[in-house]
Amino acid sequence: MVKWTELERSTVKAIWEKIDIDEVGPQIWARVLIVYPWTERYFGSFGDLFTITAILKNDKVAAHGKVVLKALDKAVNNMDNMKRTYADLSQLHFQKLEVDPDSFRLLADCITITIACKLKSALSPQSQAIWQKFLYAVVDAMSSQYR
Amino acid sequence: MVEWTDAERKAIASLWGKIDVGEIGPQALARLLIVYPWSQRYFKAFGDLSTNAAIMGNPKVAQHGKTVMGGLENAVKNLDNIKQTYAKLSVMHSEKLHVDPDNFRVLAECISLCVAAKFGPSVFTADVQEAWQKFLAVVVSALGRQYH
């Protein structure tokens, strides 16, 4: 189990409180599809993803971004129990959606970049280290049911 | 050979034009040493790296950050020939400095983060991020090329 200090818990919560899911969720998701275009393979039903403009305007992309960020809220509130919290979601992504688990790492990268854009120097090196530790734990939990 | 679209060339050149290597370089290297502390093993000669404050105030870290970031200029000016441009640096990092090539990847992450934090979402848009990270991935690959 991942050990969290008081400072790490409060830092993760402080960063999360500054995030508006409805604002950054769509941005994060658009970045994943644009920066790592092979991830589009999972979203055949989303309609037009052929150009950057199309992705940025796509309602289904925006909606899905919000869904994913809402799920991240679970991790913030269950830091001591992430594997169990994400067991069902991990199973879903493995067996039904057949998502390459490396995609979770790419998503984590885009989440951090988007937060850096928003928070700027408020995301200090120490906060960055703590936030990335948190996201690695989430990625690990999401990969846990893969075998 | 890596293919660059016109949009990507433009995005990389435009972003590079805005970057102050003296500002971003030190920040990126400090973040590397703080966020990935095992990387400190390569910098024993830099003096005090014992706390985050020490790292962020360390002049050798700042100077080296500037040097490394400045080295990206060669890549920006030689987009179609990055492998060749970095061949000697790659050999040096492998044979003389013994740097684990995974460090290039995490340093690239720290650079991207500093750039994102400096310029925000209206400049570091998704398409600019794509071009910039592709550019850094090519540099990382070139630096790891001569390892064996």
Side-chain angles (χ1 to χ4, degrees), chain B residues 86-105:
Chain B
Y86 280 131
K88 287 209 177 95
L89 259 182
S90 179
V91 170
M92 182 177 89
H93 280 75
S94 156
E95 294 187 8
K96 187 164 171 247
L97 304 173
H98 302 301
V99 174
D100 186 320
D102 197 53
N103 288 293
F104 308 141
R105 186 183 59 80

Side-chain angles (χ1 to χ4, degrees), chain B residues 7-59:
Chain B
E8 285 170 339
R9 287 176 195 273
K10 208 164 146 222
I12 292 164
S14 165
L15 189 61
W16 185 251
K18 298 185 173 70
I19 287 173
D20 174 356
V21 309
E23 180 191 7
I24 302 281
Q27 288 174 11
L29 192 65
R31 280 182 191 264
L32 176 75
L33 297 170
I34 290 168
V35 180
Y36 304 100
W38 55 86
S39 62
Q40 291 171 23
R41 74 186 296 281
Y42 301 112
F43 300 103
K44 296 293 184 206
F46 275 24
D48 189 4
L49 301 178
S50 57
T51 64
N52 290 353
I55 290 171
M56 277 156 60
N58 186 309

